[in-house]
Amino acid sequence: MLHVPVAFVSLVEEDRQILAGLIGLAEPWAGRRALPLSHSLCRHVVASGRPLVVSDPRADERFATHPAVADLGVAAYAGMPLADAEGLVLGSLCAIDHQPRAWGPGELSDLEDLAAACSAELCLRILSAQSRSAQQVLETARGAAEHARRDARRLEQEAQAGLGHAELLLRASEELAQTSGLDDVRRRLRDLFGGVGKPSYVGLLVAGKDDLRWVPDPDGARAVERELLTLPPDAAFLPSTQALRQRRTVFVADRAAMVAAYSTQAADLLDRMGSTTMLCLPLSGAAAPSWASSRSAGTSGTRWASPSGPPSPPRPATSRRRWNAPCTWTRGSPSPASSRPPC
């Protein structure tokens, strides 16, 4: 259109001139797609906000010694401003000739029309970039809001679980403080659990001086309980004995975990109880009942038929009187937080 050897679209930054589009520019400038401001005539267009037309820079005292003349071979220059939607000049569309040239009115008019088209495209790209940025901010905000909602739900669930746990501990403390013997302890432990998450079995293992002794359910002991009325104090094949010896909560998620951590005998016992998940809680203390020695301790075992069991193994807790330990098997669904044993 203008029949010039060099033309480019430039965007002037604080420390350089970016060549967003170019043709005819020699190396190394073309490969870099940038010019230092020392070689930029377009920066004068940006600074003034008006077109810059120079027929022969060498005869113009403003540009006679300009590095662009010697290094880029600029012998004639015509640049039109490129502006954004608010009118801020960001760069220039320029035409360069290697020979001095008198720019005609028609050529300058064509160059101005091209600059207007470039400005429109520049505005569209800016709007598109702003839209993408806003979308990213919106997505980030949505993600943060969803994360906050999840945290709020989790905290609410934990608060509800903590309240249910506290209520159960209070009830357990009140119930066990009024017991009159092992059978009564056994019955009250069993009756502490109820609702959807009620375990299929709640047992009590008592540590005596020379052995460990199961306390059968006084209202209907199972055959398995009768077979294991006593155990040696160093028995290691059941989680209950481990909880008793190590004085910590022991949780077994399923049969495979039982076999891996303990024994096939323990897993078979779990099967015979119709259960898959087991939770054992140590219950010990100096205020032991009269039928136990001063070093007596025990475990409470809770068992669920569902492999998921309780939501999480509770931590040991104390009441005014602390008993030996309960053990539980379950036939129903996993125990909710409000149905956890005193621990």
Side-chain angles (χ1 to χ4, degrees):
M1 182 179 291
L2 299 181
H3 304 290
V4 292
V6 180
F8 49 77
V9 175
S10 68
L11 298 174
V12 178
E13 296 185 342
E14 185 177 349
D15 58 349
R16 61 177 180 167
Q17 174 177 309
I18 301 297
L19 304 178
L22 61 90
I23 185 171
L25 189 64
E27 295 293 349
W29 319 109
R32 295 173 183 173
R33 301 190 72 86
L35 290 174
L37 292 183
S38 60
H39 289 62
S40 174
L41 291 173
C42 295
R43 69 188 179 97
H44 296 284
V45 177
V46 173
S48 67
R50 298 192 301 270
L52 175 64
V53 180
V54 182
S55 297
D56 186 357
R58 291 169 296 184
D60 189 322
E61 61 180 10
R62 295 174 299 171
F63 306 112
T65 59
H66 198 284
V69 175
D71 296 342
L72 303 181
V74 177
Y77 174 90
M80 296 293 169
L82 299 178
D84 63 10
E86 298 178 353
L88 179 65
V89 177
L90 303 176
S92 170
L93 172 64
C94 68
I96 296 173
D97 204 333
H98 295 314
Q99 301 296 327
R101 176 173 181 163
W103 302 96
E107 293 175 325
L108 295 178
S109 178
D110 290 341
L111 188 61
E112 186 176 8
D113 290 342
L114 289 174
C118 287
S119 293
E121 178 65 22
L122 180 62
C123 290
L124 288 175
R125 294 193 180 193
I126 291 174
L127 288 174
S128 178
Q130 291 174 342
S131 176
R132 289 195 299 271
S133 178
Q135 183 65 29
Q136 291 174 352
V137 170
L138 180 60
E139 291 176 357
T140 300
R142 286 174 176 169
E146 179 59 30
H147 184 68
R149 282 194 292 270
R150 288 196 300 268
D151 284 347
R153 287 194 296 268
R154 177 179 55 81
L155 291 174
E156 181 182 5
Q157 291 169 355
E158 290 177 356
Q160 292 174 347
L163 178 60
H165 191 190
E167 292 174 348
L168 181 62
L169 288 176
L170 177 61
R171 189 156 57 92
S173 176
E174 294 172 347
E175 289 287 332
L176 295 180
Q178 302 172 18
T179 54
S180 58
L182 280 179
D183 287 345
D184 197 15
V185 172
R186 177 69 171 74
R187 183 181 293 108
R188 289 174 184 264
L189 281 173
R190 179 197 64 202
D191 294 342
L192 282 174
F193 300 89
V196 177
K198 183 176 182 179
S200 62
Y201 176 84
V202 178
L204 179 64
L205 179 65
V206 176
K209 182 178 180 180
D210 299 317
D211 59 12
L212 307 177
R213 182 162 57 93
W214 284 107
V215 178
D217 189 335
D219 299 322
R222 303 190 184 190
V224 176
E225 289 182 297
R226 300 297 184 190
E227 295 176 12
L228 293 174
L229 281 179
T230 60
L231 295 171
D234 59 347
F237 70 93
L238 286 176
S240 303
T241 58
Q242 182 184 21
L244 183 62
R245 289 195 312 273
Q246 299 180 4
R247 297 184 180 180
R248 67 179 180 88
T249 298
V250 175
F251 176 66
V252 183
D254 52 32
R255 191 182 195 282
M258 180 72 82
V259 173
Y262 298 96
S263 64
T264 304
Q265 182 182 359
D268 292 342
L269 181 62
L270 204 64
D271 292 341
R272 292 177 61 190
M273 298 296 293
S275 307
T276 57
T277 302
M278 183 174 184
L279 179 67
C280 300
L281 310 171
L283 301 175
S284 60
S290 59
W291 34 260
S293 69
S294 60
R295 66 183 183 87
S296 293
T299 58
S300 169
T302 310
R303 299 169 178 82
W304 284 265
S306 167
S308 56
S312 60
R315 295 178 301 177
T318 59
S319 63
R320 189 171 63 84
R321 298 176 70 187
R322 290 179 294 174
W323 304 96
N324 302 335
C327 236
T328 326
W329 279 280
T330 333
R331 221 178 282 273
S333 58
S335 172
S338 61
S339 299
R340 294 178 183 170
C343 53

